[in-house]
Amino acid sequence: DAKTTQPPSMDCAEGRAANLPCNHSTISGNEYVYWYRQIHSQGPQYIIHGLKNNETNEMASLIITEDRKSSTLILPHATLRDTAVYYCIVRDTGNQFYFGTGTSLTVIP
Amino acid sequence: DAGITQSPRHKVTETGTPVTLRCHQTENHRYMYWYRQDPGHGLRLIHYSYGVKDTDKGEVSDGYSVSRSKTEDFLLTLESATSSQTSVYFCAISELGSTGTGELFFGEGSRLTVL
């Protein structure tokens, strides 16, 4: 079974920050959190990942709680092209990635 | 974009027939994966490989087998296809170590319909 829990859907106004939560309460100390998104029926695309510290790249920011049991993906200025399904994933020590059902984000004009 | 090719991209077959999906990579990545995607289930891991001839089961491996005889190819076989195996199948690759972030790179998917 998936190791993460996400809300099934969210809306965000265009230009505003989109904050997508993820619960991974059973995560182990050396397991990474990854975020991917999938647009239509294309293969998922990598966004960002982290272990303990918060991370930022050109696409998004990842905030991981101190106890590592949850995280939030932040898209700082959502655009219509950010409408997609977002997956929060834990990569286990065997390098397996379990996806779950993700959050369907709709950016509203 | 990572060099990953899946074939065939679309296939329609009948119940009980064998089907093989091929994933070919040009990145020399060690890890390869097969996922299936169905409405309401997201992506589910079928099998994965951590090297030539080294494979292991994922969360939905029943009815599927895999083989990896060389680094660049990972084959997924349905010995006797059933209608419940109608799905979109994605191959993915990843690499670890000092040069890799461990992220997955996905192929474009193979849509299989079992009648």
Side-chain angles (χ1 to χ4, degrees):
Chain A
D1 292 338
K3 297 183 177 183
T4 62
T5 303
Q6 301 175 253
S9 64
M10 293 182 63
D11 293 337
C12 177
E14 187 178 16
R16 304 298 291 269
N19 296 276
L20 291 86
C22 178
N23 182 290
H24 32 79
S25 58
T26 60
I27 194 170
S28 299
N30 52 356
E31 292 180 332
Y32 283 76
V33 177
Y34 284 73
W35 282 83
Y36 284 77
R37 73 179 183 186
Q38 186 177 28
I39 298 174
H40 299 303
S41 58
Q42 299 174 15
Q45 295 176 312
Y46 167 82
I47 300 173
I48 198 167
H49 76 285
L51 180 62
K52 296 179 181 179
N53 301 320
N54 298 337
E55 302 287 346
T56 296
N57 62 20
E58 65 277 6
M59 291 183 65
S61 295
L62 174 60
I63 308 299
I64 303 174
T65 58
E66 190 170 347
D67 63 8
R68 302 212 322 121
K69 293 184 177 182
S70 65
S71 61
T72 301
L73 178 74
I74 301 173
L75 308 177
H77 305 287
T79 70
L80 298 179
R81 287 178 292 181
D82 291 323
T83 292
V85 177
Y86 288 79
Y87 294 97
C88 168
I89 304 144
V90 170
R91 189 191 89 201
D92 71 12
T93 54
N95 206 36
Q96 296 184 54
F97 295 77
Y98 293 96
F99 272 73
T101 55
T103 296
S104 179
L105 175 69
T106 301
V107 180
I108 302 169
Chain B
D1 290 342
I4 308 170
T5 305
Q6 292 185 228
S7 59
R9 294 289 314 283
H10 301 273
K11 185 173 182 63
V12 179
T13 190
E14 294 186 349
T15 298
T17 61
V19 175
T20 295
L21 304 180
R22 179 183 184 233
C23 179
H24 178 78
Q25 62 149 326
T26 58
E27 305 296 323
N28 200 36
H29 281 6
R30 177 183 174 190
Y31 296 87
M32 299 186 74
Y33 308 79
W34 276 108
Y35 289 88
R36 61 176 289 174
Q37 185 168 35
D38 306 290
H41 289 279
L43 282 91
R44 292 182 290 176
L45 181 64
I46 306 172
H47 280 279
Y48 69 103
S49 170
Y50 47 96
V52 174
K53 299 189 186 304
D54 292 323
T55 65
D56 207 347
K57 297 178 179 180
E59 56 192 321
V60 289
S61 59
D62 288 348
Y64 302 95
S65 62
V66 289
S67 65
R68 191 166 178 203
S69 60
K70 45 188 177 178
T71 299
E72 56 266 36
D73 288 328
F74 192 33
L75 304 181
L76 177 70
T77 297
L78 292 65
E79 299 291 347
S80 178
T82 67
S83 58
S84 65
Q85 293 176 312
T86 292
S87 187
V88 179
Y89 292 85
F90 286 99
C91 173
I93 64 175
S94 78
E95 190 57 82
L96 289 174
S98 60
T99 60
T101 62
E103 68 182 272
L104 288 170
F105 298 94
F106 281 85
E108 296 180 325
S110 296
R111 183 175 295 276
L112 175 66
T113 302
V114 183
L115 302 176

mmCIF file of all heavy atoms in Angstrom, chain A residues 86-104:
data_model
loop_
_atom_site.group_PDB
_atom_site.id
_atom_site.type_symbol
_atom_site.label_atom_id
_atom_site.label_comp_id
_atom_site.label_asym_id
_atom_site.label_seq_id
_atom_site.Cartn_x
_atom_site.Cartn_y
_atom_site.Cartn_z
ATOM 1 N N TYR A 86 -0.869 15.799 -8.684
ATOM 2 C CA TYR A 86 0.406 15.891 -7.977
ATOM 3 C C TYR A 86 0.543 14.699 -7.028
ATOM 4 O O TYR A 86 -0.347 14.425 -6.225
ATOM 5 C CB TYR A 86 0.491 17.208 -7.208
ATOM 6 C CG TYR A 86 0.676 18.380 -8.128
ATOM 7 C CD1 TYR A 86 -0.401 18.907 -8.829
ATOM 8 C CD2 TYR A 86 1.934 18.957 -8.321
ATOM 9 C CE1 TYR A 86 -0.234 19.971 -9.706
ATOM 10 C CE2 TYR A 86 2.110 20.018 -9.181
ATOM 11 C CZ TYR A 86 1.018 20.515 -9.878
ATOM 12 O OH TYR A 86 1.186 21.566 -10.746
ATOM 13 N N TYR A 87 1.669 14.033 -7.141
ATOM 14 C CA TYR A 87 1.920 12.850 -6.322
ATOM 15 C C TYR A 87 3.047 13.119 -5.327
ATOM 16 O O TYR A 87 4.117 13.600 -5.707
ATOM 17 C CB TYR A 87 2.329 11.660 -7.193
ATOM 18 C CG TYR A 87 1.256 11.159 -8.118
ATOM 19 C CD1 TYR A 87 1.215 11.560 -9.447
ATOM 20 C CD2 TYR A 87 0.292 10.267 -7.669
ATOM 21 C CE1 TYR A 87 0.242 11.086 -10.309
ATOM 22 C CE2 TYR A 87 -0.685 9.790 -8.516
ATOM 23 C CZ TYR A 87 -0.701 10.205 -9.838
ATOM 24 O OH TYR A 87 -1.668 9.736 -10.681
ATOM 25 N N CYS A 88 2.782 12.772 -4.104
ATOM 26 C CA CYS A 88 3.789 12.779 -3.052
ATOM 27 C C CYS A 88 4.218 11.336 -2.839
ATOM 28 O O CYS A 88 3.372 10.453 -2.677
ATOM 29 C CB CYS A 88 3.173 13.373 -1.781
ATOM 30 S SG CYS A 88 4.130 13.161 -0.280
ATOM 31 N N ILE A 89 5.500 11.081 -2.871
ATOM 32 C CA ILE A 89 6.006 9.713 -2.874
ATOM 33 C C ILE A 89 7.140 9.572 -1.875
ATOM 34 O O ILE A 89 7.949 10.485 -1.717
ATOM 35 C CB ILE A 89 6.559 9.363 -4.265
ATOM 36 C CG1 ILE A 89 5.510 9.561 -5.336
ATOM 37 C CG2 ILE A 89 7.087 7.933 -4.309
ATOM 38 C CD1 ILE A 89 6.088 10.070 -6.603
ATOM 39 N N VAL A 90 7.181 8.439 -1.236
ATOM 40 C CA VAL A 90 8.320 8.103 -0.396
ATOM 41 C C VAL A 90 9.165 7.070 -1.131
ATOM 42 O O VAL A 90 8.644 6.058 -1.598
ATOM 43 C CB VAL A 90 7.866 7.544 0.966
ATOM 44 C CG1 VAL A 90 9.051 6.973 1.745
ATOM 45 C CG2 VAL A 90 7.188 8.642 1.778
ATOM 46 N N ARG A 91 10.431 7.371 -1.258
ATOM 47 C CA ARG A 91 11.360 6.411 -1.847
ATOM 48 C C ARG A 91 11.987 5.595 -0.724
ATOM 49 O O ARG A 91 12.688 6.155 0.129
ATOM 50 C CB ARG A 91 12.455 7.111 -2.636
ATOM 51 C CG ARG A 91 13.330 6.165 -3.462
ATOM 52 C CD ARG A 91 14.556 6.881 -3.993
ATOM 53 N NE ARG A 91 15.663 6.824 -3.060
ATOM 54 C CZ ARG A 91 16.690 7.665 -3.059
ATOM 55 N NH1 ARG A 91 16.716 8.659 -3.920
ATOM 56 N NH2 ARG A 91 17.670 7.532 -2.211
ATOM 57 N N ASP A 92 11.717 4.303 -0.729
ATOM 58 C CA ASP A 92 12.206 3.504 0.398
ATOM 59 C C ASP A 92 13.666 3.099 0.195
ATOM 60 O O ASP A 92 14.275 3.421 -0.834
ATOM 61 C CB ASP A 92 11.285 2.307 0.647
ATOM 62 C CG ASP A 92 11.390 1.230 -0.439
ATOM 63 O OD1 ASP A 92 12.320 1.279 -1.276
ATOM 64 O OD2 ASP A 92 10.530 0.339 -0.450
ATOM 65 N N THR A 93 14.211 2.405 1.179
ATOM 66 C CA THR A 93 15.634 2.075 1.160
ATOM 67 C C THR A 93 15.994 1.100 0.057
ATOM 68 O O THR A 93 17.160 0.967 -0.295
ATOM 69 C CB THR A 93 16.065 1.498 2.515
ATOM 70 O OG1 THR A 93 15.203 0.399 2.844
ATOM 71 C CG2 THR A 93 15.956 2.559 3.607
ATOM 72 N N GLY A 94 14.996 0.417 -0.494
ATOM 73 C CA GLY A 94 15.230 -0.465 -1.630
ATOM 74 C C GLY A 94 15.062 0.238 -2.964
ATOM 75 O O GLY A 94 15.037 -0.388 -4.014
ATOM 76 N N ASN A 95 14.963 1.571 -2.903
ATOM 77 C CA ASN A 95 14.793 2.390 -4.106
ATOM 78 C C ASN A 95 13.485 2.092 -4.824
ATOM 79 O O ASN A 95 13.399 2.177 -6.047
ATOM 80 C CB ASN A 95 15.969 2.247 -5.058
ATOM 81 C CG ASN A 95 16.147 3.484 -5.929
ATOM 82 O OD1 ASN A 95 15.922 4.604 -5.480
ATOM 83 N ND2 ASN A 95 16.518 3.291 -7.171
ATOM 84 N N GLN A 96 12.464 1.731 -4.069
ATOM 85 C CA GLN A 96 11.142 1.584 -4.640
ATOM 86 C C GLN A 96 10.346 2.866 -4.392
ATOM 87 O O GLN A 96 10.463 3.477 -3.340
ATOM 88 C CB GLN A 96 10.407 0.407 -4.002
ATOM 89 C CG GLN A 96 11.055 -0.929 -4.269
ATOM 90 C CD GLN A 96 10.240 -2.065 -3.694
ATOM 91 O OE1 GLN A 96 9.047 -2.184 -3.976
ATOM 92 N NE2 GLN A 96 10.864 -2.895 -2.885
ATOM 93 N N PHE A 97 9.543 3.232 -5.371
ATOM 94 C CA PHE A 97 8.725 4.431 -5.284
ATOM 95 C C PHE A 97 7.262 4.012 -5.316
ATOM 96 O O PHE A 97 6.813 3.393 -6.280
ATOM 97 C CB PHE A 97 8.988 5.352 -6.480
ATOM 98 C CG PHE A 97 10.374 5.926 -6.562
ATOM 99 C CD1 PHE A 97 11.426 5.147 -7.016
ATOM 100 C CD2 PHE A 97 10.612 7.244 -6.223
ATOM 101 C CE1 PHE A 97 12.711 5.675 -7.112
ATOM 102 C CE2 PHE A 97 11.888 7.785 -6.325
ATOM 103 C CZ PHE A 97 12.924 6.992 -6.772
ATOM 104 N N TYR A 98 6.506 4.368 -4.276
ATOM 105 C CA TYR A 98 5.089 4.039 -4.209
ATOM 106 C C TYR A 98 4.268 5.320 -4.340
ATOM 107 O O TYR A 98 4.433 6.244 -3.557
ATOM 108 C CB TYR A 98 4.759 3.325 -2.904
ATOM 109 C CG TYR A 98 5.399 1.957 -2.840
ATOM 110 C CD1 TYR A 98 6.610 1.768 -2.192
ATOM 111 C CD2 TYR A 98 4.794 0.862 -3.452
ATOM 112 C CE1 TYR A 98 7.197 0.527 -2.147
ATOM 113 C CE2 TYR A 98 5.378 -0.386 -3.406
ATOM 114 C CZ TYR A 98 6.583 -0.549 -2.750
ATOM 115 O OH TYR A 98 7.167 -1.785 -2.713
ATOM 116 N N PHE A 99 3.366 5.337 -5.335
ATOM 117 C CA PHE A 99 2.736 6.586 -5.736
ATOM 118 C C PHE A 99 1.433 6.941 -5.051
ATOM 119 O O PHE A 99 1.147 8.066 -4.840
ATOM 120 C CB PHE A 99 2.504 6.575 -7.248
ATOM 121 C CG PHE A 99 3.665 7.092 -8.023
ATOM 122 C CD1 PHE A 99 4.823 6.344 -8.145
ATOM 123 C CD2 PHE A 99 3.612 8.335 -8.619
ATOM 124 C CE1 PHE A 99 5.903 6.836 -8.860
ATOM 125 C CE2 PHE A 99 4.687 8.829 -9.342
ATOM 126 C CZ PHE A 99 5.835 8.081 -9.463
ATOM 127 N N GLY A 100 0.572 6.119 -4.750
ATOM 128 C CA GLY A 100 -0.727 6.535 -4.231
ATOM 129 C C GLY A 100 -1.586 7.180 -5.312
ATOM 130 O O GLY A 100 -1.282 7.093 -6.496
ATOM 131 N N THR A 101 -2.657 7.845 -4.889
ATOM 132 C CA THR A 101 -3.641 8.387 -5.839
ATOM 133 C C THR A 101 -3.463 9.870 -6.131
ATOM 134 O O THR A 101 -4.067 10.401 -7.041
ATOM 135 C CB THR A 101 -5.073 8.147 -5.344
ATOM 136 O OG1 THR A 101 -5.211 8.694 -4.038
ATOM 137 C CG2 THR A 101 -5.387 6.644 -5.308
ATOM 138 N N GLY A 102 -2.648 10.576 -5.360
ATOM 139 C CA GLY A 102 -2.323 11.956 -5.673
ATOM 140 C C GLY A 102 -3.426 12.965 -5.395
ATOM 141 O O GLY A 102 -4.530 12.627 -4.953
ATOM 142 N N THR A 103 -3.115 14.246 -5.653
ATOM 143 C CA THR A 103 -4.048 15.366 -5.525
ATOM 144 C C THR A 103 -4.249 15.985 -6.894
ATOM 145 O O THR A 103 -3.279 16.376 -7.548
ATOM 146 C CB THR A 103 -3.514 16.436 -4.568
ATOM 147 O OG1 THR A 103 -3.407 15.912 -3.256
ATOM 148 C CG2 THR A 103 -4.444 17.658 -4.559
ATOM 149 N N SER A 104 -5.505 16.075 -7.304
ATOM 150 C CA SER A 104 -5.817 16.736 -8.558
ATOM 151 C C SER A 104 -5.954 18.236 -8.295
ATOM 152 O O SER A 104 -6.904 18.684 -7.647
ATOM 153 C CB SER A 104 -7.117 16.182 -9.150
ATOM 154 O OG SER A 104 -7.427 16.854 -10.353
#
